Amino acid sequence: YVASLRRAGAAVRWIDLSDPNRAAEQVADCDGLLLPGGADIAPQLYGRTPENACGKPHVQRDAAEPVMLRRAMELGLPVLAICRGMQMLNVCMGGTLLQDISGEQRCRHSNFRTRAMGEHRVIISPQPSRLRAVFDCAELWVNSLHHQAVDRLGEGLVLTAVSEDGYPEAIERVDAPFCVGVQWHPEHMSRRDPAQQELFCAFVRACRGKRGRDF
Ligand code: MN
């Protein structure tokens, strides 16, 4: 994440998550927010009870990230939400998740070995979106490192890409200048794939535009 952001020209700041409100104040001092991948979100956050296949939650991230994300959205800061981050964006907007797609998927969605080259295709919606503008194509080869997926879409979000077997792979907020979630991990591909790096570049350009700062 850090290398991809730096290649795009960003100054990267890590946020201390120990106090959610203080974390949100630190976000308010930034020009944008990147929510990275990680552990499964506690299903209680979207009104479900944990199933056996659901992973152990990260208590601190589950507490801090919704507060940080809401603050970023209130301030109109650009948001790039990756994997768990995309799922968190969906949950924050009132959406739900599928807790385990391992038994149902037709293409492989969890393969660490192909993280740098890609594992399955995604079909990008032809409707105008940030995602479509960044990749400027109808289909894209992406990696896949998830066993959960967006189920019901949160309010104000649109689906901008699906996997070849139909799972949500990208979402974004319609009423925000840049609030994009992707289910894949562009940071593992961006060093060699200019299209994936361009996602970080577009995010950083949006951040720069937000405050008119040059860094
Ligand atoms: Mn996938």
Side-chain angles (χ1 to χ4, degrees):
Y1 302 109
V2 172
S4 304
L5 287 170
R6 286 197 178 135
R7 273 195 297 272
V12 180
R13 182 169 158 189
W14 292 87
I15 306 286
D16 172 19
L17 304 180
S18 53
D19 176 340
N21 290 319
R22 211 174 56 215
E25 283 325 299
Q26 288 181 64
V27 169
D29 205 30
C30 293
D31 298 324
L33 174 66
L34 184 146
L35 283 182
D40 292 346
I41 295 167
Q44 287 85 350
L45 265 68
Y46 48 92
R48 303 258 174 98
T49 49
E51 294 165 10
N52 285 339
C54 188
K56 194 171 171 284
H58 190 301
V59 176
Q60 203 173 50
R61 289 188 65 179
D62 280 354
E65 286 174 347
V67 188
M68 294 160 69
L69 186 53
R70 285 197 188 97
R71 189 85 181 103
M73 291 195 290
E74 271 166 27
L75 293 168
L77 295 179
V79 173
L80 179 57
I82 295 175
C83 197
R84 167 197 162 92
M86 160 170 152
Q87 295 172 358
M88 183 56 85
L89 172 62
N90 187 53
V91 166
C92 276
M93 303 305 281
T96 61
L97 304 178
L98 295 169
Q99 293 185 37
D100 188 43
I101 61 168
S102 311
E104 303 158 32
Q105 57 195 13
R106 278 187 290 115
C107 48
R108 208 166 163 190
H109 286 278
S110 190
N111 190 357
F112 195 68
R113 295 168 101 180
T114 57
R115 67 193 180 281
M117 59 271 236
E119 177 64 32
H120 64 68
R121 287 177 311 140
V122 294
I123 294 105
I124 300 179
S125 163
Q127 307 304 320
S129 68
R130 280 289 184 166
L131 192 85
R132 185 79 192 198
V134 166
F135 289 102
D136 195 25
C137 61
E139 284 187 12
L140 189 65
W141 194 248
V142 300
N143 58 14
S144 205
L145 294 157
H146 60 110
H147 82 110
Q148 298 198 329
V150 164
D151 187 5
R152 191 185 70 227
L153 202 58
E155 210 167 310
L157 294 170
V158 285
L159 192 58
T160 53
V162 291
S163 60
E164 46 194 307
D165 60 348
Y167 288 105
E169 290 276 344
I171 58 176
E172 60 188 74
R173 268 184 73 201
V174 279
D175 55 348
F178 192 108
C179 187
V180 173
V182 292
Q183 185 59 72
W184 66 92
H185 283 267
E187 77 281 6
H188 286 309
M189 304 177 79
S190 55
R191 195 164 59 87
R192 280 190 291 186
D193 184 343
Q196 297 293 340
Q197 177 60 35
E198 179 53 26
L199 182 57
F200 293 96
C201 292
F203 168 61
V204 171
R205 279 198 302 275
C207 295
R208 209 176 252 137
K210 180 65 196 158
R211 300 265 166 104
R213 253 186 227 172
D214 205 13
F215 48 77

